Amino acid sequence: MRPASRLVSAISLSCLLGGPAMAAEAPGVTATEIKIGGIFPFSGPASSIGLTGRGIVAYIQSINDRGGINGRKIDYIAMDDAYSPPKAVEQARRLVESDEVSFIFGQLGTPGNTAVAKYLKAKGVPSIAIVSGSSKFTDVKDYPLTTTGLVSYDTEGKIYAKFLSRALPTAKYAILYQNDDLGKDYVNAFRSFMKADFDKRVVTAAYEVTEPTVDSQVVSLKSSGAEALFIAGTPKCAAQAIRKAAEIGWKPIVVINFPSGSIGGTLRPAGLDKSVGVVVGTINKDPTDSKWENDAGINAYRAFFEKYLPGADFQNTSYLTGYMHGMILEQILKQCGDDLSRKNIVAQSKSLKDLVLPVAATGIKINTTDSSNMIWTQLQLQRWSGTNWEPFGDILDANSE
């Protein structure tokens, strides 16, 4: 295990997993160990969602403490790319060529995943449960060694467009979006859903992830007369936009994307009172909601959090996303059995059947196949009341949306 002093740049944990595997067929695997890599923005402008990586690391530690699976160690090495694509490439090369990991798991960020995709494919290294909903990664032909760990931004965007078309059928909508693949995917989803009406009824404003504030964009969007504001970005931007809209007296229906759907990461910095009415789609139960106080899954998460993430912000559900990813990793490795070849790791990651995580929103299941590499395809819409999230409507599914 690497020294604790290297926690910021590389987090390495060992736990017991798996059975024997031939090194020639399974790079990164020995009779006693499997190495897995991860890349996260632990620092930089998206560090609030980089906490997902902390959740994954903590869950792997909990597996270790429970005795692991089938007697093999996992050495999980989580690197910091500061949400910088060149840094992501540097870290991917280190993980593959120096650390010699078996595969990459849970890499977070559309820019970073985009930057490393060609390299990993050329090296034959799987990238499983990436924390990006970019629609391009759902193309199984182009990304045969990849599975996605978020509902695709295309699907999510269409769900929000459908919601707004019912709530405000003739109104103008404003979209504030991050000027990269993440933000553009959401804009294109609205365009695809609204067709000819898009240019007539939607006004957009882009921002760069390095910009200190989005205040000017919000002021500009208000002047358009839009009655709805969709924010497609990361928590820092979403919080700033919600707060600024309230400060200038703009009261649209506000919709935020799932990556920004954290009370601790977005709503509290924006102001819980200023966030009343905000809508987001989710895949998980809200662990802070008293209605789940007797829920076995949430109680297990709370106990886990107190033990493995002491002092961290329980309201920041980026940790919960990491916890859920850890459960998915555990299931994939269990299904692999003694065969930890890269081929079987990909095969099992695409063979998840009706998997229900105990902290997932009621009715949401995981199903993957050879022709669908999306781990999550369903969302539950919910609205912030000022004190808690209130789910509304039916579970919406990519396959039926």
Side-chain angles (χ1 to χ4, degrees):
M1 182 178 290
R2 287 170 171 75
S5 62
R6 294 181 60 178
L7 183 64
V8 172
S9 61
I11 303 170
S12 177
L13 290 171
S14 293
C15 64
L16 306 175
L17 276 177
M22 297 298 292
E25 297 176 356
V29 179
T30 69
T32 59
E33 181 183 77
I34 177 172
K35 286 186 178 181
I36 302 171
I39 303 172
F40 305 92
F42 291 127
S43 63
S47 58
S48 60
I49 52 175
L51 298 176
T52 294
R54 305 284 183 185
I56 294 174
V57 167
Y59 191 83
I60 291 174
Q61 185 177 341
S62 77
I63 294 175
N64 179 42
D65 289 349
R66 285 184 274 118
I69 306 168
N70 296 337
R72 182 179 272 111
K73 289 182 178 180
I74 285 184
D75 188 10
Y76 185 73
I77 307 167
M79 309 300 294
D80 181 13
D81 70 356
Y83 211 62
S84 163
K87 187 70 171 178
V89 173
E90 176 187 333
Q91 302 292 39
R93 288 183 179 277
R94 174 176 171 178
L95 288 168
V96 173
E97 298 171 21
S98 179
D99 293 304
E100 298 182 332
V101 298
S102 172
F103 61 100
I104 304 295
F105 182 84
Q107 180 176 351
L108 189 150
T110 297
N113 274 290
T114 298
V116 307
K118 185 176 180 180
Y119 168 76
L120 293 178
K121 183 178 179 181
K123 291 290 186 178
V125 179
S127 190
I128 306 301
I130 63 173
V131 189
S132 170
S134 179
S135 58
K136 65 187 172 189
F137 295 124
T138 67
D139 189 322
V140 175
K141 182 179 178 181
D142 288 344
Y143 297 92
L145 305 180
T146 297
T147 64
T148 63
L150 291 182
V151 174
S152 79
Y153 302 146
D154 179 69
T155 295
E156 189 183 359
K158 287 176 180 175
I159 286 172
Y160 297 146
K162 186 173 186 178
F163 160 68
L164 289 175
S165 73
R166 292 174 174 175
L168 297 169
T170 61
K172 182 177 288 188
Y173 311 145
I175 301 177
L176 174 64
Y177 70 97
Q178 192 165 294
N179 192 25
D180 59 15
D181 285 347
L182 181 152
K184 292 173 184 177
D185 260 10
Y186 285 111
V187 174
N188 289 335
F190 266 71
R191 185 183 298 277
S192 176
F193 182 85
M194 297 181 69
K195 299 181 172 60
D197 277 351
F198 181 88
D199 290 329
K200 302 174 186 175
R201 296 176 47 209
V202 179
V203 58
T204 65
Y207 74 93
E208 303 299 329
V209 72
T210 53
E211 289 185 48
T213 77
V214 294
D215 287 359
S216 63
Q217 289 92 331
V218 174
V219 171
S220 175
L221 289 172
K222 181 196 177 189
S223 68
S224 72
E227 296 178 41
L229 169 63
F230 173 49
I231 307 165
T234 51
K236 176 184 173 183
C237 155
Q240 289 179 346
I242 292 168
R243 186 170 63 246
K244 187 61 178 180
E247 288 174 355
I248 61 177
W250 187 22
K251 298 180 180 180
I253 292 179
V254 177
V255 180
I256 59 178
N257 58 334
F258 174 76
S260 296
S262 165
I263 298 172
T266 299
L267 302 191
R268 194 169 60 203
L272 297 180
D273 57 332
K274 294 179 175 64
S275 302
V276 172
V278 167
V279 172
V280 70
T282 189
I283 57 174
N284 54 265
K285 299 168 185 171
D286 174 9
T288 68
D289 196 320
S290 61
K291 71 166 162 280
W292 301 117
E293 63 184 7
N294 295 317
D295 182 83
I298 292 299
N299 284 338
Y301 175 64
R302 186 179 294 278
F304 157 86
F305 199 95
E306 290 173 355
K307 182 174 182 179
Y308 293 100
L309 293 164
D313 180 7
F314 189 70
Q315 288 189 320
N316 194 315
T317 47
S318 287
Y319 292 114
L320 180 59
T321 300
Y323 178 82
M324 296 169 82
H325 264 65
M327 288 185 161
I328 292 165
L329 174 61
E330 184 177 24
Q331 180 65 28
I332 291 169
L333 291 171
K334 282 182 178 179
Q335 289 182 196
C336 283
D338 290 340
D339 182 359
L340 289 170
S341 64
R342 285 173 171 170
K343 180 179 180 181
N344 195 42
I345 287 163
V346 173
Q348 296 308 319
S349 73
K350 295 187 178 184
S351 301
L352 300 173
K353 306 298 183 188
D354 289 331
L355 178 62
V356 177
L357 301 189
V359 290
T362 303
I364 290 185
K365 300 178 180 180
I366 294 173
N367 283 284
T368 57
T369 68
D370 287 339
S371 59
S372 176
N373 63 7
M374 295 182 285
I375 289 174
W376 301 103
T377 63
Q378 300 170 305
L379 282 175
Q380 170 68 62
L381 291 182
Q382 56 183 7
R383 184 181 287 109
W384 180 247
S385 71
T387 56
N388 65 288
W389 289 111
E390 297 179 344
F392 65 92
D394 298 327
I395 295 288
L396 299 174
D397 194 297
N399 297 321
S400 60
E401 166 59 17

